[in-house]
Amino acid sequence: SYSQSKSDCKKMNSQAVDSLLSYKTSFDKRKSTLEFSLQLLNDAIKCDNSFYIAKINKVTVLNELGRFSESISLIDNIIRSNKDSSILLIKAPIYDKLNKQDSVTITYKFAYKYFNRRIKDNPDDANIIYGKLLSQSKIYGKESVISEADHYLK
């Protein structure tokens, strides 16, 4: 039903991010600013349902609005459709806000397994190294990553 081009979808996402940034950097925290961002992102996703970054941005806006269960559902949808589990690093802190410590631990364990597999094929990818070390520290403690971090800082 949407006949917009991919560049229109990208413009909507950019406008939404600009609106979100103005909200985050302003002392005047109006919920309407976030609702505007959310509407633009919904439109961008309707325009292109495979628009990964718009979905990630929508997770951020939903979190800002305190709509955590919607955020978690969207994250699960992103993982299923994109096979990218790096977003688990966003999901775990949401569970923490909801005081679901078992879910926090399980989510970091899944993230750790994901990054551990990915690092074998991408040993120099800073995002993968970060994800592995962050999830490892959340599961096993900060001390567990100190010597390993030195290994990656060659």
Side-chain angles (χ1 to χ4, degrees):
S1 62
Y2 267 79
S3 60
Q4 281 118 333
S5 68
K6 292 225 183 215
S7 77
D8 289 335
C9 305
K10 288 180 181 177
K11 284 178 192 166
M12 285 183 254
N13 180 67
S14 294
Q15 282 181 292
V17 170
D18 289 345
S19 179
L20 176 62
L21 289 174
S22 77
Y23 172 84
K24 284 201 162 264
T25 58
S26 170
F27 290 110
D28 185 13
K29 304 282 189 205
R30 292 185 192 185
K31 188 177 174 186
S32 60
T33 305
L34 292 174
E35 295 290 351
F36 177 70
S37 291
L38 185 60
Q39 186 56 54
L40 286 168
L41 291 166
N42 285 334
D43 290 345
I45 293 165
K46 278 182 199 161
C47 175
D48 178 4
N49 194 41
S50 65
F51 198 172
Y52 177 77
I53 195 67
K55 291 178 181 180
I56 299 293
N57 290 332
K58 182 176 176 179
V59 166
T60 302
V61 172
L62 289 171
N63 287 340
E64 286 292 329
L65 287 166
R67 292 163 59 177
F68 300 122
S69 60
E70 286 177 72
S71 180
I72 288 169
S73 294
L74 181 56
I75 289 170
D76 291 341
N77 175 282
I78 291 167
I79 292 169
R80 277 192 304 277
S81 60
N82 293 65
K83 306 294 186 239
D84 180 4
S85 296
S86 61
I87 196 169
L88 289 169
L89 295 178
I90 297 171
K91 187 177 182 181
I94 297 169
Y95 282 132
D96 198 32
K97 287 179 185 175
L98 297 171
N99 290 316
K100 294 184 174 185
Q101 293 311 309
D102 289 348
S103 296
V104 172
T105 304
I106 290 166
T107 303
Y108 278 123
K109 284 182 179 179
F110 277 123
Y112 179 70
K113 286 180 186 177
Y114 169 78
F115 288 112
N116 223 13
R117 279 194 315 271
R118 296 273 325 270
I119 208 160
K120 291 175 179 132
D121 297 327
N122 306 282
D124 297 325
D125 186 313
N127 290 322
I128 293 172
I129 293 167
Y130 170 78
K132 179 183 188 271
L133 295 178
L134 175 65
S135 55
Q136 181 178 335
S137 73
K138 296 292 186 177
I139 300 165
Y140 304 109
K142 292 176 185 159
E143 296 75 27
S144 73
V145 299
I146 293 172
S147 62
E148 196 165 345
D150 287 342
H151 165 75
Y152 293 112
L153 297 172
K154 18 183 168 161

